[in-house]
Amino acid sequence: MNILFLGDVVAESGRDTVVNTLATIKQQYEIDFTIVNAENSAHGKGITQKIYQELINAGADVITLGNHAFAKKEIISSFDQCPFMIRPANMEPLDVGNSVIIREIDDLHIAVINLLGNVFMIPSTTGPIEVMEELLKEIDADIIIVDLHGEATSEKILFAEYFADKVTAIFGTHTHVQTADERIIRGCSFITDVGMCGPYDSVLGRDIGELISHVIKHQPTIYMPAKGPCIINGCVVKIDETSCRAVSIERIKLFPNA
Ligand code: FE2
């Protein structure tokens, strides 16, 4: 079984690129199950029900989120209309949506979990390791996949080393910069950060000129995503359907106009 994970989709250009290329990627890599982190898909922060539906219609099986999950307030009241979307388990407000989803593919139950890192992030309610320990007591699935949305490399690597025997794949998200440390840890695939699907000429998807004005010239700015062609960053993980353990992980990096 091949699982595709696409990193943080940024703004309209990022989601248009994902919508337009996802079918081709799935065909090329013979993908059975697709997870997309879309916490930045609405103008660089948050998501809406309409965008959720676009990504599902394009071929995503599960949408994960992160620290900007509720940046667009309308999603709080429409979260229940997005049945295949999960939000970090350890972030306020805790009573909106689910943090674990289980889907069935080829007679296998695949659980996907969304967690927030604790280091250099907005305050999480509880650390991801603590929350994960509790979630594992409740989850009954053949394959368990985690999107750990965090800033610190060390926190994500430690999490992977700690839980490698209990889960099948751990994808780090949030930094928008793909790391080159993909590996298999005792049958669990891991990468510190998958990277983003968003504007290539940018600062993590945000407009370069706006950030220069803000950081160097100290001018007030609105939050403006960059324009222009997008890069797609993702990973494909091959899972042995008998053992339900990961056997390989391959990074995907599709440059604009490639
Ligand atoms: Fe984030």
Side-chain angles (χ1 to χ4, degrees):
M1 169 182 288
N2 292 326
I3 291 180
L4 171 68
F5 190 107
L6 292 183
D8 310 31
V9 178
V10 180
E12 184 177 11
S13 54
R15 63 179 195 262
D16 283 351
T17 304
V18 168
V19 165
N20 292 332
T21 56
L22 185 51
T24 306
I25 296 171
K26 287 175 69 169
Q27 190 177 23
Q28 184 181 346
Y29 289 90
E30 300 179 337
I31 298 300
D32 301 292
F33 190 73
T34 300
I35 305 165
V36 177
N37 183 300
E39 74 129 10
N40 302 120
S41 57
H43 203 70
K45 282 184 182 178
I47 189 168
T48 63
Q49 185 185 348
K50 183 170 174 285
I51 292 171
Y52 160 84
Q53 202 57 57
E54 282 175 20
L55 293 169
I56 293 292
N57 292 347
D61 295 297
V62 172
I63 301 295
T64 57
L65 298 171
N67 54 309
H68 292 130
F70 307 113
K72 298 286 177 282
K73 297 298 175 208
E74 63 176 270
I75 200 63
I76 293 176
S77 58
S78 56
F79 211 110
D80 290 345
Q81 277 77 59
C82 306
F84 304 129
M85 184 161 76
I86 53 174
R87 42 67 51 87
N90 50 341
M91 192 180 90
E92 298 282 0
L94 291 170
D95 59 348
V96 178
N98 294 314
S99 301
V100 180
I101 185 168
I102 298 180
R103 300 208 64 182
E104 191 178 338
I105 305 283
D106 297 337
D107 295 329
L108 291 175
H109 290 90
I110 304 175
V112 185
I113 301 170
N114 198 185
L115 290 167
L116 197 68
N118 215 19
V119 181
F120 306 136
M121 298 291 287
I122 59 165
S124 53
T125 54
T126 319
I129 288 182
E130 237 174 304
V131 179
M132 183 71 183
E133 301 250 49
E134 290 304 310
L135 290 174
L136 284 174
K137 292 176 188 170
E138 309 287 328
I139 293 171
D140 182 14
D142 303 294
I143 292 167
I144 299 177
I145 298 170
V146 181
D147 174 350
L148 177 55
H149 194 80
E151 182 73 36
T153 50
S154 57
E155 183 181 36
K156 290 188 266 189
I157 294 168
L158 176 65
F159 183 96
E161 290 288 351
Y162 189 75
F163 287 110
D165 297 309
K166 294 179 178 170
V167 307
T168 312
I170 299 166
F171 298 98
T173 58
H174 176 67
T175 72
H176 294 197
V177 178
Q178 188 179 81
T179 54
D181 65 334
E182 76 279 13
R183 60 188 151 143
I184 303 294
I185 306 172
R186 306 188 300 278
C188 172
S189 76
F190 173 68
I191 185 166
T192 298
D193 208 291
V194 177
M196 72 165 177
C197 299
Y200 186 53
D201 291 321
S202 71
V203 179
L204 310 183
R206 200 168 160 187
D207 185 79
I208 298 167
E210 181 185 58
L211 276 166
I212 288 172
S213 298
H214 181 59
V215 175
I216 299 172
K217 298 175 184 171
H218 306 292
Q219 292 172 353
T221 57
I222 57 170
Y223 191 98
M224 195 160 65
K227 292 184 171 58
C230 292
I231 189 168
I232 290 207
N233 281 305
C235 281
V236 174
V237 171
K238 183 177 280 299
I239 294 172
D240 179 276
E241 291 178 29
T242 305
S243 65
C244 292
R245 304 302 290 158
V247 293
S248 68
I249 175 170
E250 179 183 350
R251 281 184 289 125
I252 294 178
K253 204 172 187 64
L254 301 176
F255 290 95
N257 307 317

